[in-house]
Amino acid sequence: MFRIVNATGGYGKTVIIRDVSIAVDKAEIVALLGRNGVGKSTLMRFAMALIPALSGHVEIDGRNAPEAPAKRAKAGVGYVPQGRYVFPRMTVTENIGVAAETNGHSGRLAVETALREFPMLRPKADDLAGGLSGGQQQVLALARALATKPKILLLDEPTEGVQPSIIDEMAGILKRINRERGVAILVAEQDLDFCLSIATRAYVMEKGSVQLETDRESLRTDKKLQQQLLGV
Amino acid sequence: MELDYLATVLLSSLSSASILLIATIGLAVVFGLMGVINLAHGEFLMIGAYAALTATQYGIPFVIAIPIAIAVTMTIGAVVEVLIIRRLYGRLFDTMLATWGLSIAFYQLAVLIFGTVTPGIGMPQFNLRIGNYSLAGYPLLMIAVAAVATVFVYVLMTRTVYGMKARAAIQMPEMARAIGIESARVNTLTFAIGCGLAGFAGAVLLPIVPATPSMGFAFVIKAFLTVVVAGPVTLTGSALTAVGLGGGASVTASFLTSVAGDAFFFLITAFLLWLYPLGITAKWRTKM
Amino acid sequence: MNLSEKLYQRAGLIFPILATGGALAAASFIDPYLAYVATSWVIFGLLGLSLDLVWGRGGLLSLGQTAFYGLGGYFGSIVAINMAPLTGNTLLWSLPAGAAFGATSAAALGAIIFLARMGPLQATILSYTFTLLLWSLTQSFTATVGQAVVGGDNGLSNIPGVVVGFGQGAEALGPVEVFVTVVIVSAATYFLCWWLMRGTFGRVIDCIRIDAQKAELLGYDIRKYQIANFSLAGAIAGLAGAMFAGWANYLNPSIFSVQEALLVPIYVLVGGLGTLAGAFVGAFAIGGLSFYLGGGAVGGQTTLILGIVLILLVLFLKNGLVGAMGELWRRTLPDPNAAARDAGAVSIDPEVLEGILVEAAQQAGPAKRLATVDLYKRFGGVIPVNKISRTFEPGRPYSLIGPNGAGKSSYLKACVGIYMPEAGSVTVGQTDATNAPIFERVHQGVGVKNQKPQIFGELTVVENLSIAAYARTGDKPAAAGISRQILAMLGFERQAKVQASALSHGQQQWLDIGMVLCLAPRVVLLDEPAAGMTNEETRELSALVRTLARHTTVIVVEHDMEFVRTLEGHVTVLHQGQVFAEGDIAALRADDRVLDIYLGRREHV
């Protein structure tokens, strides 16, 4: 359904990811594992067309995805960046509303759905997003991406700096959304537990390329693999 | 001092402050939302004034000449954004220099087309009496116009989908594109709206400030300082600083000299910048 | 090196000499009226030069140069009006007085801007406000100082012309002689600036523009340099103003006007930002254009053309005329950065390093310990450094590890002074450094290498090292000696003249480490030094860090656990801004709690 093919890219002259190919099937949840600085975020930005492709491309439903990020978003790619880039001087409601309206959905309905799905946002609905705590911003960024009604959701380190109880809640919501709406999810993570709890398959990255592809079971049991992830 | 004199001074100072605010709003939108210092803002004001003047000379009523002025300046603004400003986003000082070039080019074009002296249009005659003093009504009307214009921009930017897109596109341009906002198109429109507001100011102030090619210079400096002192909460901040600085300068001028008024304006600006290097609203937690 | 390269190297000296000679030669035959007009272009060029010093080199777009220009003009003229009758000569009074007054007012404004560490926009606006304030104040300012009458809007008249002779009989010069005098004064000023900006002062100013934080991390009190540069520019503007007054015999407040203030950046941009000589080229280009158009067929449309030229310059010719010509010329020369490509892998001889470190200890004293007590730093709701108390001693390296966002880099930044802590204390050796600015901590012996390589990309490799060494020694030959040593140790001799930006990422890391070594630090803080290095380079680095730790206190923040293991040092695990665990790497590796926080498992936390 969603494929990144031979992705090579980086910033300026520096190539960070080299020849990376990844596929996510319809309604599948796939994890992208690896230590800091192996190129997970760069791959996510490549998938969203936020960095120029030196080579390689992205396919959605077998067709080449458009090259402009705005068009790619409209083609069904939802993106939750690392560091939760919410619009700081807009309210929670506006953050969600503008995402829905831009893609031709009702902003009011989207906000209602989001507040139902993420009750923790309800008391904050009219607050500026910049004033929310880290965990709340992360949930908001997720709610905003969902408001665009994506076919595939790209999550970049969604658990970074988020307290454990919210991480568990987030895992539950992602599984439900995946089940009920059939949204495919690609999640780049360092948090192994989180990945084990939602993903069925994983790619492990090392120095800008995919080192191996593995499944949930071997991740759970293979102590050696775990230490390799830690990098010792 | 008599009470009626004091009231007169206060009202006319408030009216001066409102005139400054009207002239500033467009700049506030462009600088606050887009981070572009449009030194040609004053010339857009001048273009608006000439557009309205020309329209009235063709027999079009003043009230209809105002929207014409807005349309003309918006169109020119959109063209300028596409040709020049678009290439310079994020390069604050380059936009400043390029719009300064634009400003002197527009000025000279106006001299070529209209000459340096132009007939004014009569001020609508109605007066307000306070005690022994009489004030011209039209400048006082500007207090209401400034209020309406501020509220209009506030509603446009906070209550409409366009307003949300415009703010999103400028707060986090990359993220805005990642949720499907065509940032480039939205930015063209925002710049055009800023220029349109300048055109509106030029037209609506025409009875008070006659159209001359150099009228822009007079406005842009104070408008510009007002916006920089205001800081990130552009609209509310600008309204506040316009009333504070413009009103304060006007009160000072009434009691001392007009030079003292200007000196007051610039000194307080320098003082505020020293106190709040990022603008007085840097720590506010409100939207606009 | 061929002739073309030699010429290129000295272009800033040779062409201005030729131009000065040409102008003086032309004075013998040009029309007096043209000489009269061209004199003003030279003066505007000088004014542009003053802006280029602060903008092109210093990095601050000042719109206050016309203020210093006007103030220098007024003050110099008032002094000249009163004193010149004593000597006959006018320049003797007006030029020093104008320059001194320009320098003083610039120093005052510069102190406000730089001591407050204002942002670039605020600094520009404040300088602009200063000019506007003068503009409105001078409109009605009237005063009588001796023979001089300052008449507000009516200006200051009766300013004596240029007289170089002495005694009662000395007469004002004619237009051509004035032109010659102004050219000589301006040329002298230009060559002084050229010499100054080519030397260490100019290098430091360049470094501040390129990376102010790094300049401060080398130990330079950047504010002093910035204020000095700004004052120098103010003096030149004041000098130009005094000459302008003598040329025009009259001054009025329009010298402080908006139009005047904004014209100066145009001269600089047209000529070429940062080239110094470009300001004169720009002033002559604009002046000549106006002169030609003023009398030509399109008469009166100079302003229109100026405006369009400015827009086109900003859009398409960012480096101006001189910059563009320099670029064309450079293309014909061999690439000075070619040597960057054949740089071999860095391999450090431990004995050489040992020698350098022993020598550094002789000069800078014994290693110092670094201690923090309850160090605390918060940003809004996030607390990256939450009451960390640690003491670091010389001997073996300390590693700080921890998952993303654990507060490692923030802790390091709080120790260095990049972040000012809210509570707790930092001690370097026996000295409390909690509230000391960065450069003072560097003087106390702290040497820092941040995560990204912080090098001055526009400078050559050897210049990078010597500017670091000079920060410590304050002595040019000594600095050159130290930088040669470090250069040889890194094996960069063949790359000495290469621009630092042309080096690869890994080489830039080495250069940055080399700059830190030039400081002979007693405490060394390294933030992810191995990032972007190859395995081979990482091994070399590990050896270097171990040797370094025998002579100084070394603290390394690192993600690369393999690298940390090879350091064989003491390891501290940070988590959520606090010390989570410590010990050696083998023990920590077996610790399930450490695995948990790294992998995000929650069973044990």
Side-chain angles (χ1 to χ4, degrees):
Chain A
M1 196 281 290
F2 179 80
R3 296 198 330 133
I4 301 171
V5 186
N6 299 334
T8 303
Y11 303 93
K13 280 184 285 181
T14 328
V15 176
I16 296 187
I17 51 169
R18 219 178 276 279
D19 214 12
V20 179
S21 295
I22 270 179
V24 182
D25 274 339
K26 196 165 166 46
E28 193 188 19
I29 304 185
V30 176
L32 190 59
L33 296 167
R35 280 177 295 133
N36 238 338
V38 295
K40 301 191 297 293
S41 287
T42 311
L43 182 62
M44 289 302 207
R45 294 169 59 79
F46 182 96
M48 198 65 231
L50 292 174
I51 55 166
L54 292 177
S55 68
H57 64 277
V58 171
E59 289 174 13
I60 303 171
D61 290 331
R63 273 192 302 272
N64 270 4
E67 275 315 313
K71 296 217 168 64
R72 202 168 276 192
K74 287 187 171 151
V77 185
Y79 175 56
V80 181
Q82 180 177 19
R84 36 186 116 88
Y85 286 99
V86 295
F87 303 119
R89 282 187 189 272
M90 292 169 69
T91 64
V92 168
T93 307
E94 287 175 335
N95 265 277
I96 299 167
V98 72
E101 294 280 357
T102 302
N103 293 279
H105 314 305
S106 155
R108 204 173 45 80
L109 272 179
V111 171
E112 269 174 30
T113 315
L115 295 184
R116 200 170 52 243
E117 251 158 18
F118 304 97
M120 61 181 291
L121 292 180
R122 192 175 289 278
K124 302 281 180 187
D126 293 321
D127 289 8
L128 288 189
L132 300 185
S133 77
Q136 289 163 339
Q137 288 192 12
Q138 189 64 60
V139 171
L140 174 58
L142 177 59
R144 182 182 60 189
L146 288 173
T148 66
K149 301 199 175 164
K151 293 177 193 159
I152 168 122
L153 197 53
L154 306 175
L155 300 174
D156 196 352
E157 307 245 358
T159 68
E160 189 192 340
V162 177
Q163 70 193 66
S165 63
I166 297 183
I167 295 181
D168 291 341
E169 201 174 318
M170 228 155 55
I173 293 163
L174 286 174
K175 270 197 283 195
R176 200 178 70 234
I177 286 163
N178 168 259
R179 204 171 51 235
E180 288 173 3
R181 302 194 203 158
V183 178
I185 298 174
L186 177 64
V187 53
E189 254 308 340
Q190 298 196 64
D191 184 330
L192 190 60
D193 264 15
F194 180 75
C195 292
L196 287 174
S197 69
I198 60 171
T200 50
R201 216 155 48 82
Y203 294 91
V204 176
M205 281 185 79
E206 182 83 40
K207 295 211 165 151
S209 47
V210 170
Q211 199 77 1
L212 62 109
E213 192 189 332
T214 175
D215 59 15
R216 189 194 322 220
E217 214 35 54
S218 34
L219 268 178
R220 200 191 296 280
T221 49
D222 192 341
K223 180 100 179 172
K224 241 194 164 149
L225 184 60
Q226 289 178 6
Q227 281 185 346
Q228 188 195 339
L229 281 174
L230 174 60
V232 178
Chain B
M1 188 184 310
E2 298 130 44
L3 213 59
D4 51 354
Y5 177 66
L6 198 66
T8 316
V9 168
L10 280 181
L11 263 183
S12 63
S13 294
L14 192 58
S15 134
S16 310
S18 303
I19 292 171
L20 176 63
L21 181 56
I22 294 171
T24 305
I25 288 180
L27 195 67
V29 168
V30 170
F31 177 56
L33 283 179
M34 318 184 77
V36 169
I37 291 180
N38 182 11
L39 283 182
H41 180 75
E43 278 59 43
F44 279 100
L45 205 128
M46 180 261 297
I47 293 170
Y50 273 111
L53 178 68
T54 311
T56 53
Q57 281 167 348
Y58 281 101
I60 295 167
F62 182 55
V63 184
I64 298 176
I66 294 176
I68 293 177
I70 296 175
V72 169
T73 44
M74 276 187 81
T75 312
I76 298 177
V79 173
V80 166
E81 199 275 345
V82 172
L83 289 183
I84 302 171
I85 309 294
R86 171 170 296 184
R87 303 156 192 266
L88 300 174
Y89 282 124
R91 289 157 58 186
L92 186 72
F93 294 101
D94 286 347
T95 56
M96 208 164 137
L97 292 164
T99 51
W100 160 242
L102 195 64
S103 145
I104 50 185
F106 278 162
Y107 163 79
Q108 189 64 26
L109 276 177
V111 171
L112 289 177
I113 299 172
F114 300 103
T116 45
V117 185
T118 35
I121 67 167
M123 194 189 295
Q125 285 302 318
F126 55 98
N127 292 311
L128 184 73
R129 290 197 64 80
I130 300 172
N132 293 324
Y133 299 90
S134 170
L135 284 172
Y138 193 79
L140 292 184
L141 188 63
M142 290 304 107
I143 300 175
V145 172
V148 170
T150 310
V151 170
F152 168 77
V153 174
Y154 187 84
V155 169
L156 177 72
M157 288 300 164
T158 58
R159 297 276 187 274
T160 65
V161 173
Y162 154 73
M164 287 199 290
K165 283 187 187 177
R167 283 182 293 143
I170 221 70
Q171 288 178 17
M172 297 259 165
E174 189 170 83
M175 197 53 229
R177 285 187 296 158
I179 61 167
I181 296 172
E182 304 273 0
S183 302
R185 212 177 297 163
V186 171
N187 286 341
T188 307
L189 184 57
T190 308
F191 191 79
I193 288 176
C195 296
L197 285 165
F200 167 75
V204 80
L205 296 177
L206 188 58
I208 304 171
V209 186
T212 60
S214 64
M215 67 186 288
F217 290 126
F219 275 109
V220 76
I221 302 156
K222 286 186 178 175
F224 176 45
L225 295 180
T226 302
V227 166
V228 173
V229 171
V233 185
T234 333
L235 198 62
T236 326
S238 298
L240 216 75
T241 42
V243 171
L245 287 171
S250 179
V251 171
T252 315
S254 329
F255 289 113
L256 298 166
T257 63
S258 70
V259 172
D262 280 351
F264 171 91
F265 195 103
F266 297 134
L267 270 178
I268 299 294
T269 299
F271 181 66
L272 286 174
L273 274 177
W274 166 253
L275 278 186
Y276 304 95
L278 299 174
I280 59 167
T281 63
K283 290 192 172 148
W284 289 17
R285 302 225 63 84
T286 44
K287 285 187 275 191
M288 277 294 287
Chain C
M1 200 185 274
N2 64 27
L3 181 66
S4 176
E5 276 178 287
K6 279 182 189 158
L7 272 179
Y8 181 81
Q9 293 278 323
R10 291 170 186 76
L13 186 63
I14 293 166
F15 288 94
I17 288 178
L18 291 178
T20 310
L24 295 179
S28 61
F29 58 81
I30 56 169
D31 172 52
Y33 178 67
L34 180 61
Y36 174 76
V37 176
T39 307
S40 70
W41 305 341
V42 180
I43 295 172
F44 293 150
L46 196 59
L47 178 58
L49 172 67
S50 89
L51 176 64
D52 202 22
L53 286 178
V54 285
W55 186 26
R57 304 299 291 267
L60 158 67
L61 171 52
S62 159
L63 294 176
Q65 296 315 109
T66 50
F68 311 133
Y69 174 67
L71 286 174
Y74 265 95
F75 191 76
S77 302
I78 290 171
V79 172
I81 289 172
N82 287 298
M83 307 303 286
L86 294 177
T87 57
N89 181 304
T90 56
L91 296 183
L92 190 64
W93 300 103
S94 65
L95 296 189
F101 202 66
T104 314
S105 40
L109 185 65
I112 294 177
I113 289 174
F114 297 116
L115 291 181
R117 295 179 188 265
M118 277 192 185
L121 177 63
Q122 283 73 30
T124 300
I125 297 308
L126 192 72
S127 64
Y128 192 35
T129 317
F130 181 65
T131 311
L132 294 172
L133 186 64
L134 282 170
W135 188 25
S136 54
L137 284 181
T138 47
Q139 308 276 347
S140 64
F141 179 79
T142 55
T144 307
V145 187
Q147 300 298 310
V149 181
V150 181
D153 243 349
N154 295 324
L156 172 64
S157 46
N158 298 327
I159 300 172
V162 176
V163 183
V164 290
F166 285 88
Q168 291 297 325
E171 277 182 34
L173 300 179
V176 175
E177 288 86 10
V178 172
F179 174 73
V180 169
T181 314
V182 168
V183 165
I184 291 171
V185 173
S186 303
T189 313
Y190 166 81
F191 290 116
L192 175 76
C193 291
W194 176 83
W195 173 77
L196 206 58
M197 296 317 281
R198 200 165 167 268
T200 317
F201 178 78
R203 281 284 163 276
V204 176
I205 294 290
D206 285 336
C207 290
I208 295 171
R209 181 189 71 244
I210 299 167
D211 187 342
Q213 189 191 63
K214 180 65 180 180
E216 197 158 1
L217 283 175
L218 293 180
Y220 288 106
D221 183 353
I222 59 172
R223 297 168 302 177
K224 275 188 197 154
Y225 279 90
Q226 286 171 315
I227 294 173
N229 189 42
F230 201 64
S231 309
L232 170 68
I236 295 171
L239 186 74
M243 286 204 290
F244 178 79
W247 171 77
N249 301 117
Y250 172 72
L251 283 177
N252 74 10
S254 71
I255 201 168
F256 298 112
S257 70
V258 181
Q259 287 88 332
E260 196 82 18
L262 286 164
L263 218 59
V264 193
I266 301 185
Y267 297 143
V268 176
L269 272 186
V270 169
L273 191 59
T275 58
L276 301 188
F280 292 95
V281 175
F284 264 77
I286 304 272
L289 187 74
S290 311
F291 188 72
Y292 171 73
L293 292 179
V298 273
Q301 270 134 67
T302 323
T303 334
L304 182 62
I305 292 170
L306 257 186
I308 294 167
V309 163
L310 182 56
I311 297 173
L312 295 178
L313 271 174
V314 171
L315 288 179
F316 302 111
L317 199 65
K318 196 63 218 305
N319 295 324
L321 296 173
V322 173
M325 281 190 290
E327 180 59 36
L328 285 179
W329 190 358
R330 199 153 46 235
R331 281 187 203 161
T332 67
L333 302 175
D335 181 6
N337 295 337
R341 283 188 285 277
D342 51 55
V346 171
S347 158
I348 288 174
D349 185 339
E351 278 175 29
V352 175
L353 176 64
E354 196 88 27
I356 288 173
L357 292 174
V358 168
E359 201 183 312
Q362 280 162 3
Q363 291 169 10
K368 289 182 178 175
R369 66 190 188 89
L370 176 78
T372 66
V373 178
D374 288 336
L375 200 65
Y376 182 84
K377 176 73 203 171
R378 69 182 298 159
F379 292 106
V382 187
I383 306 172
V385 182
N386 194 355
K387 299 195 173 170
I388 299 186
S389 299
R390 296 287 298 116
T391 301
F392 304 96
E393 308 268 3
R396 55 180 197 152
Y398 293 84
S399 302
L400 296 179
I401 64 169
N404 254 345
K408 307 178 297 284
S409 286
S410 302
Y411 177 59
L412 223 58
K413 289 195 165 88
C415 288
V416 178
I418 295 173
Y419 294 162
M420 280 298 176
E422 262 98 35
S425 70
V426 179
T427 318
V428 180
Q430 304 302 322
T431 324
D432 178 70
T434 313
N435 297 311
I438 296 174
F439 67 91
E440 265 177 32
R441 296 182 205 221
V442 176
H443 290 174
Q444 283 161 16
V446 178
V448 190
K449 195 212 150 305
N450 276 322
Q451 203 162 334
K452 285 187 190 137
Q454 274 183 308
I455 47 143
F456 303 110
E458 296 165 38
L459 272 54
T460 65
V461 169
V462 71
E463 281 170 341
N464 269 279
L465 292 172
S466 57
I467 206 77
Y470 184 82
R472 171 165 68 95
T473 61
D475 175 62
K476 251 178 132 175
I482 294 168
S483 49
R484 254 198 315 275
Q485 259 183 332
I486 304 280
L487 192 71
M489 184 191 79
L490 295 173
F492 281 165
E493 289 109 325
R494 280 164 43 74
Q495 285 76 38
K497 295 280 174 61
V498 166
Q499 271 193 326
S501 58
L503 296 179
S504 74
H505 185 84
Q507 289 165 339
Q508 293 185 1
Q509 295 280 43
W510 283 110
L511 178 59
D512 197 356
I513 291 168
M515 288 166 81
V516 174
L517 291 179
C518 283
L519 298 175
R522 307 292 84 210
V523 182
V524 183
L525 309 177
L526 303 170
D527 195 352
E528 298 206 30
M533 286 190 172
T534 62
N535 290 340
E536 209 175 317
E537 286 176 317
T538 308
R539 272 197 296 281
E540 285 295 324
L541 181 66
S542 171
L544 179 138
V545 170
R546 275 174 292 160
T547 313
L548 197 56
R550 285 201 294 278
H551 297 269
T552 61
T553 303
V554 180
I555 306 161
V556 182
V557 163
E558 200 35 86
H559 262 114
D560 185 336
M561 298 283 259
E562 177 58 26
F563 177 69
V564 171
R565 196 179 60 74
T566 63
L567 291 182
E568 298 165 352
H570 185 280
V571 181
T572 306
V573 184
L574 292 185
H575 183 48
Q576 295 179 341
Q578 289 173 309
V579 176
F580 182 80
E582 29 190 341
D584 62 28
I585 191 76
L588 293 173
R589 190 183 172 206
D591 188 338
D592 262 330
R593 296 187 313 142
V594 174
L595 274 175
D596 287 343
I597 61 164
Y598 259 90
L599 300 175
R601 298 189 308 199
R602 278 169 293 281
E603 292 129 56
H604 304 276
V605 180

